[in-house]
Amino acid sequence: MSATTELVTADQLFSMPSDNFRYELRKGVLTKMSPSGFEHGAIVATLTARLFQFVDECHLGVICGAETGFRLSTDPDTVLAPDVSFIKQSVIERVGRTPKFWPGPPDLAVEVMSPEDSVRKATAKANEWLNAGTSLVWLVNPLQRRVIVFDSAEGSYELAEHDCLLGGNLLPGFRLNVSEIFA
């Protein structure tokens, strides 16, 4: 006798009552995510603030916070939530704003690793974003104080504290010293 798992839809996930946890949905299966620690939250806030200021001043699009879900596939549904994300203005204008999960991937997904995350697991998630159509993923590793950049056009590379994180073709002109992410 085998147990069957009832699949959850994106609409059901969106309508779930709050229980102080975040959830992601992979092919209809819920994954519970614990609240983040202090360092994780401080890094997310720094990146969100810096990106928001740049994107707002340049009128490039919209920065979304960690609670924002992106529906990457349907039937069964997959909804992931990066720590920080960016959607280009042209995409916002084409799709329009929505009160529910964004229907597709962000243009930039930023993932800040938790202490229990392995680089292998985090890299797999970065590849999920790329496979869904995200063009740029920043994987921030607080333990090693490094950022791995996954660029759908250029491959991946790693930045140390003395390096500068650039926005590339997606966010031209954006610059942030990696050391400032961990300050």
Side-chain angles (χ1 to χ4, degrees):
M1 188 164 148
S2 64
T4 59
T5 302
E6 186 175 331
L7 298 181
V8 175
T9 67
D11 286 337
Q12 289 170 320
L13 173 60
F14 189 81
S15 299
M16 285 176 55
S18 176
D19 63 359
N20 295 322
F21 287 96
R22 288 177 37 200
Y23 291 89
E24 290 187 324
L25 187 62
R26 285 187 172 80
K27 296 183 181 179
V29 178
L30 279 178
T31 302
K32 185 185 239 182
M33 301 167 66
S34 297
S36 300
F38 175 82
E39 182 179 34
H40 186 280
I43 290 169
V44 169
T46 296
L47 287 165
T48 301
R50 298 294 177 91
L51 282 165
F52 176 83
Q53 181 179 9
F54 178 81
V55 167
D56 187 55
E57 287 175 1
C58 298
H59 309 288
L60 296 175
V62 174
I63 296 294
C64 296
E67 302 300 317
T68 306
F70 291 84
R71 192 180 69 235
L72 302 182
S73 64
T74 58
D75 199 21
D77 295 352
T78 294
V79 176
L80 300 182
D83 290 307
V84 185
S85 55
F86 164 71
I87 304 169
K88 294 186 291 190
Q89 186 62 36
S90 61
V91 176
I92 297 285
E93 290 169 1
R94 180 174 41 83
V95 174
R97 291 185 177 258
T98 176
K100 293 194 173 190
F101 300 128
W102 182 258
D107 294 294
L108 166 68
V110 180
E111 295 286 356
V112 178
M113 293 174 61
S114 298
E116 65 275 2
D117 288 340
S118 68
V119 173
R120 183 175 160 199
K121 177 183 171 185
T123 299
K125 190 167 185 184
N127 284 318
E128 278 185 271
W129 286 116
L130 293 172
N131 291 334
T134 299
S135 60
L136 187 62
V137 179
W138 295 341
L139 178 58
V140 180
N141 186 332
L143 290 177
Q144 295 182 359
R145 300 177 76 84
R146 297 185 178 276
V147 176
I148 304 172
V149 176
F150 297 83
D151 187 314
S152 62
E154 298 180 26
S156 66
Y157 53 92
E158 191 168 311
L159 301 172
E161 279 191 272
H162 63 273
D163 294 319
C164 189
L165 179 62
L166 304 176
N169 292 331
L170 184 61
L171 298 165
F174 179 82
R175 301 175 57 85
L176 178 62
N177 292 327
V178 172
S179 61
E180 292 179 55
I181 296 170
F182 306 108

